[in-house]
Amino acid sequence: MAMTLRLTPEDEQALTRLAEAEGVSKQEATVRAIHEAASRRVRRDQVTALSAAARDRYADLLDRLGK
């Protein structure tokens, strides 16, 4: 799917620096950044869910240890 991405001059410069640092095109740098951000978000959501489950599962133990 084609998409137009409107960037401020500052964003364009940041994208150019990122692409140059990674040795890829701006298109590829954009795609990589999207994938990395999505991966971080999914990982953060998983850690949050696992942490909540562990707190629920071990609530009694955590209360006893906290005393």
Side-chain angles (χ1 to χ4, degrees):
M1 171 194 344
M3 176 184 212
T4 300
L5 183 62
R6 290 179 177 80
L7 301 173
T8 64
E10 294 80 16
D11 291 338
E12 174 74 23
Q13 289 174 352
L15 179 56
T16 298
R17 287 191 306 271
L18 178 61
E20 288 173 354
E22 294 187 358
V24 297
S25 67
K26 290 192 275 187
Q27 153 71 22
E28 181 63 22
T30 302
V31 170
R32 287 181 182 186
I34 291 167
H35 285 261
E36 288 174 13
S39 178
R40 280 193 308 272
R41 178 57 187 249
V42 168
R43 205 169 20 251
R44 185 176 68 217
D45 291 349
Q46 289 172 335
V47 167
T48 299
L50 289 170
S51 177
R55 285 192 309 272
D56 289 345
R57 181 175 180 181
Y58 298 109
D60 291 339
L61 175 61
L62 292 171
D63 285 341
R64 288 191 308 247
L65 289 172
K67 293 181 181 182

